Amino acid sequence: DTGVSQNPRHKITKRGQNVTFRCDPISEHNRLYWYRQTLGQGPEFLTYFQNEAQLEKSRLLSDRFSAERPKGSFSTLEIQRTEQGDSAMYLCASSASGGGRYEQYFGPGTRLTVT
Amino acid sequence: GENVEQHPSTLSVQEGDSAVIKCTYSDSASNYFPWYKQELGKGPQLIIDIRSNVGEKKDQRIAVTLNKTAKHFSLHITETQPEDSAVYFCAASRNYGQNFVFGPGTRLSVLP
């Protein structure tokens, strides 16, 4: 049973560049979540998908952020015109739905540094 | 919206002692409360969770208690070991397991 995987693990980019991260959830999970975690803080919810449908977005998800899950399997998170304030760990989690299962399992995260 | 507070922010205990971390939440509609352990450079790992229809849950050395009236829940770790050293996060969720609101974390150090 493979867990949630995220790529890349680290990304350094210059301010103004676009970046894209990928998340592969646990294979039988139909829900996928994106969170952002800054140093010394707990993760903050960004958005979540059930299958390919994006069901909820946080106010933290500005217009420069977009997430997709085109076939209900892997997901991508793109940040356009990066700013220094975007520097953070971006975490992906997945869960099953129904059957009384609510646990979210997290990947290792992608650490973004904007210089 | 939901707000989760967590105390203490840091906790040091001697190996073999117990550790208790407390969280309070603001939204009385929250019904699912997981706890995560995060080691340096890794993603959060689920260690235990509790639902609003249960007052206490135990898994070996780890237990969680929930007081819905007071809107607080606590993590108890007994017989602590050096490998328990990590940052622990509590979280709360409405709608059983959709977007979580996390507390700010507690850094636990277990001293040998």
Side-chain angles (χ1 to χ4, degrees):
Chain A
D1 177 30
T2 57
V4 178
S5 62
Q6 293 187 245
N7 288 288
R9 294 292 310 277
H10 304 273
K11 178 71 176 178
I12 300 174
T13 191
K14 293 185 178 180
R15 188 165 52 112
Q17 298 295 303
N18 299 343
V19 295
T20 300
F21 311 139
R22 176 178 171 130
C23 171
D24 288 88
I26 294 171
S27 58
E28 64 268 26
H29 285 179
N30 59 355
R31 287 186 176 176
L32 186 148
Y33 307 79
W34 286 98
Y35 291 82
R36 181 173 69 187
Q37 185 177 27
T38 53
L39 202 61
Q41 300 297 318
E44 295 175 293
F45 170 77
L46 293 178
T47 188
Y48 102 91
F49 294 83
Q50 178 149 326
N51 300 312
E52 65 275 10
Q54 188 172 17
L55 296 186
E56 189 170 349
K57 292 195 292 185
S58 162
R59 290 172 298 156
L60 293 174
L61 211 66
S62 77
D63 291 345
R64 297 184 297 105
F65 287 69
S66 62
E68 294 183 342
R69 195 183 183 197
K71 296 183 180 179
S73 56
F74 72 92
S75 175
T76 58
L77 178 68
E78 181 183 16
I79 308 174
Q80 296 183 327
R81 305 181 302 282
T82 53
E83 302 172 356
Q84 287 189 323
D86 297 332
S87 295
M89 176 79 86
Y90 289 85
L91 293 163
C92 175
S94 70
S95 72
S97 66
R101 296 171 297 176
Y102 313 121
E103 303 86 355
Q104 291 184 22
Y105 296 93
F106 282 82
T110 294
R111 180 166 296 284
L112 172 66
T113 302
V114 181
T115 62
Chain B
E2 175 67 277
N3 181 53
V4 177
E5 297 184 352
Q6 185 171 348
H7 299 280
S9 57
T10 60
L11 178 61
S12 293
V13 299
Q14 290 295 132
E15 182 177 358
D17 287 350
S18 296
V20 180
I21 302 171
K22 299 182 179 180
C23 287
T24 59
Y25 61 98
S26 60
D27 187 349
S28 56
S30 289
N31 50 27
Y32 177 68
F33 307 92
W35 284 89
Y36 285 85
K37 174 184 180 182
Q38 188 172 29
E39 297 174 327
L40 196 62
K42 297 184 178 181
Q45 175 193 4
L46 179 68
I47 56 172
I48 196 167
D49 57 8
I50 192 166
R51 303 176 189 184
S52 60
N53 59 347
V54 175
E56 184 173 359
K57 183 178 178 181
K58 189 174 181 180
D59 182 5
Q60 299 183 343
R61 297 187 296 109
I62 296 174
V64 57
T65 59
L66 171 65
N67 183 325
K68 283 192 300 182
T69 303
K71 290 191 282 189
H72 68 71
F73 56 113
S74 299
L75 177 71
H76 305 253
I77 306 174
T78 58
E79 301 172 16
T80 53
Q81 301 166 3
E83 52 265 38
D84 293 330
S85 296
V87 180
Y88 290 80
F89 293 98
C90 61
S93 169
R94 304 180 71 174
N95 302 319
Y96 284 109
Q98 290 183 20
N99 57 300
F100 292 167
V101 177
F102 282 83
T106 296
R107 181 173 298 279
L108 173 65
S109 299
V110 180
L111 309 174

